[in-house]
Amino acid sequence: MTYKPFEILGADRPSRWLVTCDHAANTVPDEIGGGCLGLPQVDMDRHIAYDVGAANVTRALADRLNARAILSNFSRLVIDPNRGEDDPTLLMKLYDGTIIPANRDACPQEVDRRLTAYHRPYHDALTDLAAARDDTVILSIHSFTPQLRGRARRPWQIGILYAEDTRLAHPLIERLTKEPDLCVGDNEPYSGHLPGDALDRHAVQTGRPHVLIELRNDLIAGTEGQLHWANRLAPILDDVLTASRF
């Protein structure tokens, strides 16, 4: 099977939603070190290589929302599709205490090669999907680790991230905080404002309504948790969108 740097689901589905998963995979293409960044598999299975559980949540949510979806098919350590091309963290050489051997001596030409092979095709496909209808609403799915090395444990089960456009984020936060069992992060565990990232490029700069959902990855590491959160979030998302005026 020919390698592709992205996967598209339900391109003809009728929903306004477009579900994206920038960090869906821990795939290292064969042309990079024979498919190896020099890390042991235990590190490639960690959050440093991809967003654990996010891909299957994305697939299940897209099904339940009858929505289109796009998922990356390369590790964020190969090159990060959720960073602008001029972002200093585009190609990480050290992440959460782990040195990335294949990136340590990467020259500007290698960075550009990876941009051309992986990063740009993903964003070109996302651009086309988003433009396929004039009322697209982008939902970006990510996951976060419960605790970074040397840091306090994160209490949130779910975080809603946004920049200056709060049309969707604020109503969603308001709705989720009514759930008695949830600790909801408002722009936590980090801010949703990152110039040049995927949502900035495809939503903020184009004026499309959007929101980014972060799920704590221990809650979605397995199939049961992934389906639980997709089933729980889909009707809430549709209700919030239906009540909106955009």
Side-chain angles (χ1 to χ4, degrees), residues 80-212:
D80 195 331
N82 196 35
R83 297 293 185 272
E85 293 194 12
D86 59 352
D87 192 300
T89 64
L90 176 68
L91 191 142
M92 294 291 282
K93 300 183 180 185
L94 175 70
Y95 194 170
D96 196 19
T98 298
I99 294 172
I100 319 303
N103 294 350
R104 185 169 47 196
D105 299 318
C107 62
Q109 291 78 15
E110 174 61 12
V111 174
D112 190 67
R113 189 188 71 78
R114 295 189 196 182
L115 281 168
T116 299
Y118 317 119
H119 189 283
R120 290 168 184 155
Y122 172 75
H123 283 284
D124 288 346
L126 205 168
T127 295
D128 290 344
L129 275 176
R133 50 186 300 163
D134 59 13
D135 61 351
T136 293
V137 178
I138 298 181
L139 169 63
S140 183
I141 301 297
H142 291 255
S143 72
F144 64 94
T145 186
Q147 187 172 17
L148 291 171
R149 290 178 178 176
R151 305 284 186 89
R153 186 169 177 84
R154 293 162 163 172
W156 313 280
Q157 294 113 322
I158 185 171
I160 306 302
L161 275 56
Y162 54 91
E164 63 267 20
D165 185 347
T166 62
R167 287 177 292 172
L168 190 54
H170 279 181
L172 183 57
I173 291 170
E174 182 179 3
R175 173 64 181 82
L176 288 170
T177 53
K178 294 177 181 177
E179 303 281 310
D181 62 325
L182 289 186
C183 180
V184 181
D186 183 337
N187 256 347
E188 298 285 1
Y190 19 73
S191 169
H193 180 63
L194 183 62
D197 71 2
L199 276 184
D200 182 62
R201 177 172 175 172
H202 299 284
V204 174
Q205 294 181 24
T206 61
R208 293 187 180 101
H210 60 278
V211 69
L212 189 152

Side-chain angles (χ1 to χ4, degrees), residues 7 21 64 66 78 115 154 170 179 191 213 240:
E7 174 187 4
C21 191
R64 284 147 185 78
N66 203 13
V78 169
L115 281 168
R154 293 162 163 172
H170 279 181
E179 303 281 310
S191 169
I213 291 180
V240 169

